[in-house]
Amino acid sequence: MSITKESELIGMKKISEVVGTTLKLMREYAKVGMSTKELDEYGGEILKGYGAKSAPYETYGFPGFSCISVNKEAAHGIPSKNKILKEGDLINIDVSAELNGFWSDNGGSFVLGKDIHNHQPLVDASKNILHKAIINIKGGVRISEIGYLIETEAKKSGFKVIKNLAGHGVGRSLHEKPENILNYRVKSNRERFKKNTTVAIETFISTKSTVAVELNDGWTLVGNKGGYVTQHEQTILITDKTPIILTESNGVWN
């Protein structure tokens, strides 16, 4: 969305702090032996406490308050009482919500407990690449150039990017224009980031796959060639300098 007045910025800051804080608390709450359903319900209670509504549930009828993807799941994992978290699991939590007509979105991947499967390099690459991408965004910068930066940095780290998942505009709804803030460069895309707009920038960094495919449950995405995928996401306000990170309360870079 385009921020045209102070009240809109306040609204976006408020919901962004809510989703950021929810993500942080969920990450801290996750324990070995817990089901993803229990973790999701904990997050749902936090959102409810703020008077916020889960965006995937409200928008798409998603069967959970947040998307919790574990190990080989790339995105949109359905919380389940049968999915029990284990030591060394690669977990991604994506929290988006609505409050007073404003929407915000954030996510992060992390290793639960000890990194016995060596997932941390993939997690770190995703985090660091997102940070590098965001600090290079300002009004007038081509969207495709940020995609090029993300893919180039992923390759430097020995990883790939998922090409059919993307960041997007956010604010008055969960997904707005620009809809395809991709993790690679599409040369034909001449679109530029606009000053005073809010967008969700997200990395999808992978070990083997370049395309996410949907499972039979109609939601869960996995890599087309297997392997693992990490995602980190922040909602930002674009300026003519470094963007303002609205969801920084999630502490994904701490």
Side-chain angles (χ1 to χ4, degrees):
M1 73 177 279
S2 188
I3 302 285
T4 56
K5 47 185 188 274
E6 184 68 16
S7 61
E8 291 172 336
L9 181 56
I10 291 167
M12 279 306 291
K13 279 183 170 173
K14 202 166 180 181
I15 182 55
S16 296
E17 188 173 352
V18 168
V19 296
T21 301
T22 303
L23 175 60
K24 179 176 183 282
L25 292 173
M26 287 179 74
R27 195 172 60 235
E28 290 167 357
Y29 189 71
K31 298 282 181 290
V32 172
M34 179 184 287
S35 73
T36 57
K37 179 87 171 156
E38 187 185 339
L39 180 57
D40 180 62
E41 284 176 348
Y42 172 76
E45 285 302 312
I46 297 166
L47 292 176
K48 200 165 136 192
Y50 283 110
K53 290 177 182 170
S54 158
Y57 179 79
E58 291 294 313
T59 308
Y60 304 114
F62 180 76
F65 299 106
S66 60
C67 300
I68 304 176
S69 308
V70 182
N71 294 326
K72 295 287 175 86
E73 297 170 345
H76 303 166
I78 300 171
S80 166
K81 63 179 192 302
N82 300 321
K83 205 179 289 174
I84 306 299
L85 300 177
K86 297 186 290 297
E87 188 82 32
D89 274 352
L90 178 63
I91 303 168
N92 176 267
I93 304 174
D94 192 312
V95 180
S96 53
E98 177 273 332
L99 180 66
N100 301 326
F102 296 97
W103 303 67
S104 188
D105 194 355
N106 73 160
S109 297
F110 62 98
V111 177
L112 186 65
K114 293 192 188 82
D115 184 26
I116 53 179
H117 307 297
N118 196 34
H119 292 310
Q120 198 61 47
L122 184 65
V123 171
D124 291 342
S126 175
K127 265 199 253 199
N128 297 338
I129 293 166
L130 179 64
H131 189 264
K132 195 160 193 175
I134 286 174
I135 61 172
N136 279 281
I137 294 172
K138 54 177 184 264
V141 169
R142 273 198 182 158
I143 288 173
S144 62
E145 286 310 303
I146 296 302
Y148 179 70
L149 184 156
I150 292 170
E151 186 173 34
T152 303
E153 290 296 321
K155 281 179 179 169
K156 272 190 211 166
S157 303
F159 299 119
K160 302 175 190 295
V161 299
I162 298 292
K163 294 193 168 186
N164 62 330
L165 295 175
H168 50 89
V170 66
R172 283 298 186 184
S173 61
L174 181 58
H175 288 101
E176 299 177 343
K177 288 183 177 176
E179 279 157 17
N180 280 327
I181 306 173
L182 293 158
N183 281 206
Y184 71 107
R185 176 165 59 185
V186 178
K187 286 183 180 169
S188 60
N189 182 8
R190 304 265 177 233
E191 205 172 355
R192 296 176 188 270
F193 287 105
K194 294 189 178 108
K195 185 183 166 184
N196 296 331
T197 62
T198 48
V199 295
I201 305 294
E202 43 190 327
T203 48
F204 292 96
I205 311 300
S206 75
T207 55
K208 291 181 180 175
S209 295
T210 53
V211 176
V213 293
E214 195 172 89
L215 296 182
N216 292 337
D217 63 21
W219 294 107
T220 309
L221 298 174
V222 297
N224 64 326
K225 292 180 179 173
Y228 297 90
V229 179
T230 49
Q231 178 256 22
H232 287 86
E233 176 182 23
Q234 301 275 23
T235 290
I236 65 171
L237 171 66
I238 297 166
T239 69
D240 49 14
K241 299 191 181 77
T242 308
I244 296 163
I245 297 160
L246 298 173
T247 46
E248 69 177 348
S249 62
N250 60 30
V252 298
W253 290 319
N254 295 353

